[in-house]
Every structure is written in C-alpha cells, then in structure tokens.
Amino acid sequence: MSELDSRPTALLVMEERRRGDVYPPTVVQGLAELVRWRAPALTRERLAQDPDVLKEVEILLTGWGAPVLDADLLSHAPRLRAVLVAAGSVRATTTPAFWARGIPIVSAAAANAIPVAEFALAQILLALKQAHRISREIRQTRRYPDDPPVAGGFRSRVGLYGLGAIGRLVAAHLRRFDLEVLACDPVADPAVADELGVRLVTLPDLFDGCSVVSLHAPLLPETEGLVNGELISRLAQGGSLINTARGALVDEHSAVDVLRRRPDLTAVLDVTWPEPPQPDSPLFTLPNVVLTGHVAGAMGGERARMGELVLDELRRLVNGQPLRHAVPADRAHVLA
C-alpha cells in the first residue's frame, strides 16, 4: 500500500455559511496532505439524506452546524475513530451513544477563548473609564462632563466569575495592569489563582464594591439565573456587568429592576436568554444596557484559528501523538 493510500479517510460536515472562514484554503490544503476525502464537504442536512457516506469514514471534521452523533448516525459509521470540532462546544453534537463508543472528540474551545478574552478585556478597560455611561450622558445633555468620577485603571477592583479557559486568559491579560482582581469559582485550583495574581472570594464578595464584574462561568443547573439583581446592586457606583459567557447566567427580570433603579450602572451583554431577546424585552430600551449581539467569540478571520487547531490535532492523530484538546466525557457539559 502506498503512503498516499495509507492516509485515513475523512469527511467534513458543517454549515456552508462559515465553512470558508473556519477552514480557509491554507487549512484545507494542510488537511488534504493528511487525509483522503471520502466526499466533498457536506452540511448535516445533506448528510442526513445519505448517511451511508460515513461507511468508510475514519475521521469526521466539523464545526458550526455539526451533525448530532446519535446511535442512528453512528450505526452508519463503523470505522469512525475520531471527531475534530472546529468550534467551542461539543454539547449539542455528542450523545450517550457517542460517548459509549469511546471515540475521542476534539474541541477548538481553546482557540475560541482567545477572541472572547480579548473582547472581555476591552470591555473591562472601557468600563473602568465608564465610557458607556459617559457616552450616554453626553447624548442626553449634549455637553461634555467636567471631570466625571470614574474608577480608572489604577488599583481598581475587577471581578471574574469563572476561572475556566476564558477566565484564566482574562486574568492573565489583567496582570499587565495595576488592578485588584478577584475571582469566584468553586472548582478553581487556588495555586492557579495565586499564579494569576487573583484572589478567590465568594460570589457576593465578588460583586461587593467591584467596579467591573465579568462573567465567564459555564451554564449549569446550579449557575442558571445565579447572577441576579441583588448581586448586581452590590456593584460600586458607576459599576459595570459584562457577560460574554451564557445569557441564562443572569436572572433578567431582577437584573432589569436594578438597572432601572440604578442608571449609574451599565450592563454589557454580548449574550442573552433567549437570544436575541424577545422583541418587547426591556433590554432593548434600557439606556444603560449595551447589547453587542454575540460578537465576542471568533468572527471572520478569527475563525481560522479554530481550523488551524483542528489541523494541528489531526497531524498529531495521524502521527500517533497524544491529542492536546480532546474533551473528556465528564467535562463536556461544562465547556461552553
């Protein structure tokens, strides 16, 4: 058998809209050197029409619009030995039947974490200057404020809810600034927090007097709606809440009540629940709410970083090296 024929058989299945961003020509060329394509790239809808195309597939490459790997689909893929996902979460893709097969699955969450952390950092620095609040006051009064009181970026208190991959990246960015950084994460390693220069506190203490709190926790039954109005009301005068994690972490009803009573506060919401908000949601009309429409994650050219991670993992797989970004079954539910 020639070296060319020994390459594993692969198939790419994802939505067309973002395929070119995630798998640009340079990444596709690299993939083609490592695998034999079973068929041209498909969408999950096209795959559902002809699932037998999976019969010879050993490696499934995917991204946004990934197929659901349930028992029925897997029955058509007896040779499948790895799934590489150029996206952050594998929750919607995996099922108990998939995990029972013991097939490794790679997530590009580490690559998607980079732009989210960059966006959060930008919003934290803007919030410390209270840029959104001052901007709306300028629009209302049509004059510039005279020496407005702001927290600023010198020894102000910033809180991070969650020290997962994104929270740790944000904390690492913040080390470049002269700030007091607190974090709340019940499963965080104190040694890691200490290395990042972060002080671990309880959730109420995280909000109490902080100028900015940025959310980076996973959405779990125990975290759903946990960030409520009572916590938000603990923010310092002119404080800001930033959410780039999951919209359902925030109890919208009680949060809205506080934001109405406290026009000095600002909520920068890149995510909401539902998403987008209902048409009559007060989030659209409250002047101290900034909706950014889920742009914190990889956009445009940033998405190629996820395709490159998949390419690197595929190279490791083909060369018999350990995967760096395989998702353990017991951790899949807490990843994005």
Side-chain angles (χ1 to χ4, degrees), residues 109-121 166 169 295-299 302-303 305-306:
N112 192 52
I114 294 172
V116 178
E118 291 170 345
F119 181 90
L121 172 65
I166 297 172
L169 273 179
V295 300
M299 301 287 289
E302 294 172 330
R303 293 170 181 156
R305 188 185 276 123
M306 294 187 286

Side-chain angles (χ1 to χ4, degrees), residues 143-213:
R143 60 182 177 82
Y144 283 10
D146 181 20
D147 193 23
V150 300
F154 183 61
R155 297 181 183 172
S156 294
R157 182 177 292 180
V158 174
L160 305 176
Y161 179 34
L163 275 184
I166 297 172
R168 291 194 302 272
L169 273 179
V170 175
H173 286 319
L174 292 173
R175 291 205 71 174
R176 294 179 287 160
F177 304 93
D178 196 348
L179 296 167
E180 180 186 2
V181 182
L182 312 179
C184 174
D185 189 327
V187 299
D189 184 342
V192 172
D194 188 61
E195 183 180 343
L196 290 167
V198 170
R199 180 162 61 92
L200 293 173
V201 297
T202 66
L203 192 57
D205 286 343
L206 185 75
F207 280 80
D208 199 15
C210 259
S211 296
V212 187
V213 170

Side-chain angles (χ1 to χ4, degrees), residues 182-261:
L182 312 179
C184 174
D185 189 327
V187 299
D189 184 342
V192 172
D194 188 61
E195 183 180 343
L196 290 167
V198 170
R199 180 162 61 92
L200 293 173
V201 297
T202 66
L203 192 57
D205 286 343
L206 185 75
F207 280 80
D208 199 15
C210 259
S211 296
V212 187
V213 170
S214 187
L215 307 185
H216 304 289
L219 179 59
L220 304 170
E222 57 267 32
T223 62
E224 184 174 352
L226 194 59
V227 178
N228 56 27
E230 194 278 328
L231 287 173
I232 296 169
S233 69
R234 291 171 175 257
L235 288 169
Q237 185 73 17
S240 294
L241 173 73
I242 300 166
N243 189 7
T244 57
R246 284 290 181 260
L249 293 173
V250 178
D251 175 23
E252 179 182 323
H253 180 74
S254 62
V256 164
D257 285 345
V258 170
L259 291 167
R260 281 176 172 148
R261 296 198 310 269

